[in-house]
Amino acid sequence: MRIIGTGSAHPKRTLTNDELSKMMDTNDAWIRERTGICTRQVITDEHLEDLAAEAAQQALDDAGIEGKQIDYIICSNVVNEYVTPSLASIVEGKIEALCPCVDLNAACTGFIYAIDFAEALLQTDRATNILVMAAEEPTRMVNWDDRSTCVLFGDGAGAMVVTKGDDLKAIKVSSKSNLDVLHYKRLLEPSPFITKEEEHKPLYMAGQEVFKTAVTSSLRDLLSVLDEAGLNKEDISYYILHQANFRINDFIRNRFGVDTEKFPINVNKYGNSSSASVPMLLDELNRTGRLKKGDMLAFSAFGAGFTSGACIVEWNK
Ligand code: UT7
């Protein structure tokens, strides 16, 4: 694959740490020190599908193509207002595309999985231009009385258009089932036949467990794709990591012994926007002119499952 366009969209409402400290027993210092987060953008009157379509349209404009030239849409998403149809199908209509559409849910790792699927479609000549995107509203999953999780998240969407090319140098995705550390259980419609007890459970996260697993899996995945691509840590121009917690990314950066400029962050502005964080950060780097032809980009993400994944892509836009 080759990346030919990127886009992103954020809800308009900025929620600061100080505002949170008026809603619950928390404070700016705790949140900053433990996570690096200062503000996050949260959905208010927007609909996630509109943000997703906005990110998609930006990616199309950046690629210089129209919706009708897209022949597959893959959207990573955990929750949105529609259980069905897929978010990808809703975006399809908004960008005037006409093509196969599918959502995938690999939690915060979803964007890396979407890249894996896109590459397979391109390699097997099933598609030429693919919209690979992620749109998430984790602020609709958290318990706003649970200070240990609700302060961490923000909403948003990121997208890229990929076409045929030779720029994906290595990719690895994995999953090891573990409901105990991170899960969210929705309440379904009642049926006359249900005999089991059901309860809605907002997002549950065993923070420290997830932290440890995140660091271990991200390090493992990055080393694996570097090895597969025959590259050294220093050969990577930017490590575009899932923006969950600044400390996780800085720990990895320290272990790699590379400069802070190579580990861009925006978790300070957006919080953890689940699988949308990687394409949102990619778009920010693209739009601020920080990417140049030939740059090697390493993506890495982790999340509920427990899933994780990483890949290396040469930037040739
Ligand atoms: O995309 C999904 C992936 N998720 C992640 O990557 C999250 C990974 N985990 C983390 O980022 C960190 O574990 C957290 C930021 C969630 C928590 O940081 P921590 O250093 O692991 O804190 P902790 O859970 O051990 O809690 C330390 C203390 C506790 O108080 P006591 O028991 O020591 O008195 C908590 O009750 O901090 C308390 N605490 C808070 N205090 C103020 C928890 N949340 C808050 C809060 N404000 N918001």
Side-chain angles (χ1 to χ4, degrees):
M1 70 169 216
R2 167 156 301 159
I3 303 172
I4 57 169
T6 70
S8 62
H10 313 279
K12 58 184 177 302
R13 170 77 154 92
T14 305
L15 180 63
T16 67
N17 293 344
D18 285 337
E19 280 179 273
L20 284 169
S21 67
K22 291 182 187 115
M23 295 164 60
M24 63 195 76
D25 182 16
T26 188
N27 56 76
D28 179 58
W30 190 97
I31 303 172
R32 270 178 207 256
E33 277 161 27
R34 305 272 174 151
T35 70
I37 299 167
C38 307
T39 59
R40 69 285 290 140
Q41 301 301 121
V42 296
I43 292 254
T44 52
D45 58 356
E46 300 99 339
H47 298 284
L48 188 63
E49 62 268 22
D50 295 325
L51 294 177
E54 191 184 327
Q57 190 58 55
Q58 280 184 20
L60 289 171
D61 293 346
D62 192 37
I65 65 169
E66 292 180 1
K68 58 177 184 278
Q69 291 170 268
I70 292 289
D71 42 25
Y72 225 109
I73 303 176
I74 307 169
C75 181
S76 163
N77 170 255
V78 178
V79 293
N80 71 87
E81 290 174 51
Y82 289 86
V83 172
T84 195
S86 68
L87 204 47
S89 288
I90 301 173
V91 169
E92 176 194 27
K94 289 178 184 287
I95 61 165
E96 296 179 9
L98 189 58
C99 61
C101 291
V102 67
D103 283 5
L104 67 81
N105 177 355
C108 301
T109 317
F111 190 69
I112 313 290
Y113 272 78
I115 291 173
D116 201 26
F117 282 29
E119 174 71 4
L121 290 168
L122 293 169
Q123 292 244 2
T124 50
D125 281 331
R126 304 282 295 278
T128 304
N129 294 319
I130 306 181
L131 180 61
V132 185
M133 53 188 305
E136 303 278 14
E137 48 184 333
T139 64
R140 304 297 301 277
M141 300 197 295
V142 294
N143 174 359
W144 283 91
D145 291 325
D146 175 6
R147 65 177 183 170
S148 67
T149 54
C150 71
V151 303
L152 305 175
F153 293 94
D155 307 317
M160 65 184 188
V161 177
V162 299
T163 191
K164 289 191 177 186
D166 199 17
D167 296 344
L168 182 66
K169 304 302 178 191
I171 185 157
K172 173 190 165 76
V173 287
S174 66
S175 177
K176 189 172 182 206
S177 184
N178 183 349
L179 266 77
D180 295 342
V181 294
L182 188 50
H183 63 255
Y184 166 74
K185 217 175 159 193
R186 72 158 71 91
L187 196 57
L188 298 175
E189 294 293 326
S191 101
F193 313 106
I194 292 295
T195 53
K196 61 192 175 190
E197 243 180 64
E198 289 190 297
E199 54 172 339
H200 165 243
K201 278 192 164 176
L203 189 82
Y204 169 79
M205 183 171 69
Q208 290 194 355
E209 273 306 299
V210 172
F211 193 104
K212 279 184 237 157
T213 314
V215 169
T216 316
S217 51
S218 197
L219 274 171
R220 179 202 62 208
D221 294 347
L222 284 167
L223 289 172
S224 166
V225 290
L226 281 167
D227 185 51
E228 192 189 327
L231 295 169
N232 295 316
K233 293 165 194 146
E234 301 73 31
D235 298 329
I236 300 298
S237 314
Y238 292 107
Y239 287 86
I240 302 177
L241 268 50
H242 173 38
Q243 302 288 299
N245 183 324
F246 169 73
R247 286 193 298 141
I248 294 176
N249 298 8
D250 206 47
F251 187 93
I252 294 165
R253 186 190 68 74
N254 262 310
R255 285 289 286 272
F256 276 20
V258 299
D259 297 341
T260 48
E261 299 82 66
K262 287 191 173 224
F263 271 70
I265 62 146
N266 63 13
V267 71
N268 54 324
K269 289 188 288 188
Y270 299 124
N272 178 347
S273 56
S274 188
S275 70
S277 80
V278 167
M280 273 163 44
L281 182 54
L282 174 69
D283 184 53
E284 189 171 319
L285 294 176
N286 180 22
R287 273 168 209 279
T288 50
R290 288 169 74 184
L291 303 178
K292 54 181 194 308
K293 252 187 202 296
D295 274 351
M296 285 292 177
L297 311 178
F299 300 158
S300 169
F302 48 83
F306 198 91
T307 56
S308 77
C311 65
I312 295 177
V313 184
E314 190 173 336
W315 179 259
N316 274 312
K317 189 178 128 45

